[in-house]
Every structure is written in structure tokens, then in C-alpha cells.
Amino acid sequence: DTAVSQTPKYLVTQMGNDKSIKCEQNLGHDTMYWYKQDSKKFLKIMFSYNNKELIINETVPNRFSPKSPDKAHLNLHINSLELGDSAVYFCASSQDLGAAGNTIYFGEGSWLTVV
Amino acid sequence: DQQVKQNSPSLSVQEGRISILNCDYTNSMFDYFLWYKKYPAEGPTFLISISSIKDKNEDGRFTVFLNKSAKHLSLHIVPSQPGDSAVYFCAASGFGKLIFGTGTRLQVFP
């Protein structure tokens, strides 16, 4: 059973389109995240949610809108896609928010290519 | 402004020898440090961590050393195995999030 699963794994889409990436965790964790790994391989946090409440929003453009219907799901919706949005997006979860030594579990990543 | 840095993008080591991966950080408020391993087309997986109040943590072939005065940590893998070939990310925990370095690609050759 995959602990953190995200779909789709690969997505190629045109500029200007709107797309969503779904994420689910079956670990019973309270906190979920979205990370982005860009072409320079930087792995940076975008958002974190704790019990469906937005905690961290790292100056991500408004075109990115996370939605957490329950604490086991955190979906990422992206409007008006731009070429620079091409990256790998990782969903992740952890038991608590920011607790020392709190291990974060990652999904396999979603490869988004905007053409 | 990169708070966690891995200055070596790649490292090549012979099987059986020691692999040493280095990481530097800038913020003394980080309270925990972690290493993640990533294979191609997979998400990062947790490998080992260390609290800021300790200077060493060992788990099998993996040992992490922390030098707080130098704001430096390192991951030692001994003996290195071909299956260890992957990208290793150093991460620092603080302010409710993990901040990652850019990774070091380790290749272990026979």
C-alpha cells in the first residue's frame, strides 16, 4: 500500500490550461505538504496544511490553489499554466507540523510539463 | 537565499569504500537535520536524522555527524554499496517546515 499517493504521475499540457494534481495519504497524518522541484533541482516547500488548515504559503503565485477536503487529501490546482510551472511536484505528509525530527513522507512526484 | 547548501553536486566512490556527503547551513535556529535519499522517478525517502543537541547518530552503515559551531553536517556511508547510488538531500527542520539542499548525486561503482 502506497503511503502517499499522487496522480497523475506525468502530465503534459499547454500554456494557459488549468490542471489539478491529487494527493492522498493513508498514514493518518495531520499535516500535508506540496513541494516543488524545479529544473535546478531545488526542492522547495510551497504549502503546508494541518488538519485542513493552511499553515504555510511560501510566496506561491495565486494561480496555485491547494484544496484540502479532509486531512487525508491535499490537492493542488493550477490555473493559467505557464512554461515556468514545468517541474516535479511532490506531495508529502507528516504526523505533526514542524515537530523536531518529524519525518516527512513523500509521494512519488508528478512530472508537469507545460508546452 | 539558500539556507541549506550541498556544494558537491556529485560524488563517485568505489564499492566497499566510505562515502562522505557534506551539508552546510546558515541558520542556527534549526533544531533537527535529516538526510533523504532519492532514486530516479521516485519521491525522497527518509534515511537518518540528528537532533541539534547531538553530534552523532548512527544507523547501520549510515552515520550522521553534526558540527554546530561550523554549521556543518555530514553523512558517512560505510561500506558503500552499488544500491546506495542515488541523490542524497540534506534537510534542516525549523519554522514548521523542512528546508532542503540541492542534493548530491552519489555513484558507487564496483
Side-chain angles (χ1 to χ4, degrees):
Chain A
D1 251 358
T2 304
V4 181
S5 58
Q6 51 184 112
T7 56
K9 183 156 186 174
Y10 300 100
L11 180 58
V12 181
T13 188
Q14 289 187 327
M15 277 197 314
N17 283 350
D18 303 339
K19 291 294 177 186
S20 293
I21 307 172
K22 295 185 177 180
C23 179
E24 175 182 6
Q25 54 95 3
N26 62 6
L27 298 167
H29 288 166
D30 289 337
T31 305
M32 295 187 72
Y33 311 81
W34 277 106
Y35 277 81
K36 176 181 178 181
Q37 186 177 29
D38 60 22
S39 57
K40 296 182 180 179
K41 306 303 181 187
F42 288 109
L43 187 60
K44 291 184 177 178
I45 190 169
M46 300 173 67
F47 302 101
S48 72
Y49 270 72
N50 182 260
N51 280 315
K52 303 194 299 176
E53 182 182 348
L54 177 66
I55 303 298
I56 291 175
N57 181 342
E58 285 286 308
T59 60
V60 178
N62 290 338
R63 299 182 295 104
F64 290 78
S65 53
K67 295 280 193 302
S68 182
D70 55 62
K71 73 174 191 177
H73 295 84
L74 181 62
N75 303 323
L76 183 65
H77 189 75
I78 315 171
N79 289 328
S80 302
L81 279 156
E82 300 177 357
L83 292 176
D85 296 332
S86 296
V88 185
Y89 293 85
F90 288 99
C91 178
S93 73
S94 64
Q95 180 58 54
D96 300 304
L97 175 67
N102 201 14
T103 301
I104 291 181
Y105 296 84
F106 286 86
E108 293 191 335
S110 294
W111 270 251
L112 172 65
T113 302
V114 182
V115 297
Chain B
D1 181 23
Q2 221 178 317
Q3 298 188 64
V4 179
K5 299 178 184 179
Q6 293 175 257
N7 292 319
S8 298
S10 63
L11 175 67
S12 189
V13 172
Q14 190 173 28
E15 182 179 5
R17 307 294 287 264
I18 185 170
S19 295
I20 300 176
L21 296 99
N22 294 305
C23 178
D24 298 294
Y25 62 95
T26 57
N27 196 323
S28 58
M29 298 299 289
F30 290 133
D31 52 12
Y32 232 88
F33 301 90
L34 304 90
W35 284 94
Y36 279 78
K37 179 178 180 180
K38 185 182 180 303
Y39 292 116
E42 294 184 10
T45 55
F46 172 74
L47 187 59
I48 192 170
S49 64
I50 187 167
S51 164
S52 61
I53 63 173
K54 296 191 174 182
D55 55 20
K56 178 182 174 181
N57 187 26
E58 189 173 353
D59 183 3
R61 297 185 297 113
F62 303 92
T63 303
V64 56
F65 295 92
L66 176 62
N67 182 335
K68 285 185 67 178
S69 60
K71 295 191 179 69
H72 177 84
L73 66 154
S74 60
L75 173 68
H76 292 211
I77 307 173
V78 55
S80 301
Q81 299 174 353
D84 296 329
S85 297
V87 176
Y88 290 79
F89 287 96
C90 168
S93 174
F95 320 106
K97 59 189 177 184
L98 278 186
I99 299 173
F100 285 85
T102 50
T104 297
R105 181 177 300 278
L106 173 66
Q107 184 174 4
V108 180
F109 59 93

